[in-house]
Amino acid sequence: MKSDRLLSILLLLQTRGRVPAHELAERLEVSVRTIYRDVEALSAAGVPVYAERGRHGGIELLAGFRTDVTGLTADESRALFILAAQGAHAALGLDAALGSALRKVMAALPAPHRPAAEVTSRRILVDATRWKGGPQGPVDLDVLQDAVFADRRLRLRYRHSGEREPRTYTVDPYGLVSKAGVWYLVADRRAKPRLFRADRVRSAAVLEDPVKRRPGIELADVWQVLRRQVEERPGGLGVTVRVRRSRLDMFLRLNASHLAELPDTDGEGEWVTVRLMYGVAPEARQLLQFADHVEVLEPPEVRAEVAAAAASVTELYQRAVRAGR
């Protein structure tokens, strides 16, 4: 709606100062011509807004002009009170600030929307952590935050998965990302994007050197690149299994990261065929946790790998039984 767009333009100019017309157009998903028409409408309504054309031009409010805008819609009011689990705010030391901010927002809401916003905060909860995610190491985000907000380089001692000794890196941080309850530092190392799990950082020091980010690149841009690299990483080895229908839901939950495609669950047979992707054959040994509810069909080398692992486990316990343990 045009009224919502005008309000958005006013708020952006009030918080950002001068903003190029093309940037407003991109943010609001309209044409530059529409933005200029909206500016004319704001001016006609008495808002002291003006536009300057040229290389360094843009749209700006008259210096010193402020407005107390509380024209939130009912849905916008409710959306503000649907928040992620408190753990994210606690990790950043912002629990108290969050509570204070929400109280201020509640006081500023139009009176008809306050009851709905209050009920939403009590009826909707978003918990970003995964079920049975397993224990995580302690996470100290203080130094990482300091570097992010001070725009300084960081020196990390970081332990990679599967390695005992940490390595030392000097990085240029873009910011912090919480993904499914796990905190990550997004940074450049030698102008290449890197991802560091915060719970694997053994120590961190903020350097005096200013951060050296790639021009025009923001945290969201780097995160999208890194996320695609993780999600599109080739599995290497396709594996076909059959799963008893009674265990299928649990199997799919626990093996979501290995699924090559969603299985066809139509039908009423006892077994459902599922296709998985692994890096190497030994990774498929984890299928033994489902005992005889899962059978590897192909390839033969993975079937042999799982069979050998099962035989090894059987021999281990048979020796214990023969020894009377």
Side-chain angles (χ1 to χ4, degrees):
M1 295 176 60
K2 182 175 180 179
S3 58
D4 290 338
R5 192 170 66 245
L6 294 177
L7 179 58
S8 297
I9 292 174
L10 182 57
L11 290 173
L12 284 168
L13 296 178
Q14 186 166 290
T15 57
R16 297 274 305 278
R18 178 176 297 182
V19 182
H22 70 84
E23 184 177 332
L24 287 173
E26 291 176 0
R27 290 283 297 270
L28 301 176
E29 299 181 346
V30 296
S31 67
V32 172
R33 180 177 295 181
T34 297
I35 292 297
Y36 281 121
R37 284 200 297 264
D38 289 345
V39 169
E40 292 177 1
L42 285 171
S43 180
V47 176
V49 59
Y50 63 95
E52 288 189 1
R53 299 182 183 273
R55 182 179 178 184
H56 300 292
I59 299 169
E60 190 172 2
L61 294 171
L62 190 67
F65 175 79
R66 303 289 295 176
T67 182
D68 181 18
V69 180
T70 57
L72 294 172
T73 67
D75 285 345
E76 290 168 343
S77 303
R78 294 173 63 191
L80 288 174
F81 287 83
I82 299 178
L83 298 171
Q86 299 294 315
H89 302 93
L92 297 172
L94 296 176
D95 260 358
L98 173 65
S100 176
L102 289 179
R103 287 191 293 272
K104 291 177 181 177
V105 170
M106 181 67 79
L109 286 177
H113 300 337
R114 291 176 192 168
E118 184 178 357
V119 169
T120 298
S121 68
R122 291 170 18 218
R123 297 290 183 266
I124 305 295
L125 174 66
V126 179
D127 188 341
T129 57
R130 296 176 58 185
W131 291 110
K132 300 180 181 179
Q136 295 182 15
V139 178
D140 185 358
L141 297 178
D142 290 345
V143 177
L144 303 184
Q145 282 191 86
D146 290 344
V148 166
F149 291 118
D151 287 334
R152 300 289 183 181
R153 306 188 91 187
L154 263 173
R155 179 170 291 124
L156 305 176
R157 291 184 69 249
Y158 184 82
R159 186 188 66 79
H160 291 273
S161 177
E163 297 183 3
R164 292 186 177 182
E165 297 300 323
R167 303 187 189 185
T168 301
Y169 298 104
T170 298
V171 300
D172 298 292
Y174 285 90
L176 297 166
V177 173
S178 178
K179 172 74 169 173
V182 179
W183 282 98
Y184 295 91
L185 172 71
V186 176
D188 273 356
R189 179 172 182 263
R190 298 175 180 174
K192 300 293 184 182
R194 295 288 299 270
L195 198 59
F196 300 91
R197 276 186 59 145
D199 57 355
R200 293 180 185 162
V201 175
R202 292 297 171 256
S203 66
V206 181
L207 305 181
E208 292 297 324
D209 303 330
V211 71
K212 297 179 181 178
R213 302 188 184 109
R214 285 167 286 149
I217 304 298
E218 298 291 338
L219 171 62
D221 303 321
V222 186
W223 173 249
Q224 289 297 331
V225 171
L226 293 168
R227 190 176 69 176
R228 282 198 301 268
Q229 289 178 357
V230 173
E231 292 176 348
E232 297 174 3
R233 184 178 299 161
L237 183 62
V239 176
T240 302
V241 303
R242 64 173 188 164
V243 183
R244 292 190 194 275
R245 193 175 295 274
S246 60
R247 294 292 189 273
L248 182 61
D249 287 346
M250 180 182 293
F251 180 86
L252 296 179
R253 286 199 304 271
L254 296 180
N255 290 277
S257 62
H258 293 293
L259 287 178
E261 59 187 29
L262 290 177
D264 182 1
T265 58
D266 292 340
E268 299 179 354
E270 180 183 2
W271 297 93
V272 176
T273 300
V274 180
R275 291 175 175 81
L276 308 169
M277 293 294 291
Y278 290 102
V280 291
E283 290 182 9
R285 289 183 172 217
Q286 58 94 22
L287 295 172
L288 287 174
Q289 66 183 302
F290 291 95
D292 61 345
H293 298 293
V294 172
E295 180 186 1
V296 176
L297 302 178
E298 56 180 4
E301 62 268 28
V302 173
R303 186 176 173 91
E305 181 75 33
V306 174
S312 178
V313 171
T314 301
E315 175 61 22
L316 174 67
Y317 284 98
Q318 284 180 342
R319 285 202 306 268
V321 170
R322 289 196 295 268
R325 295 201 305 269

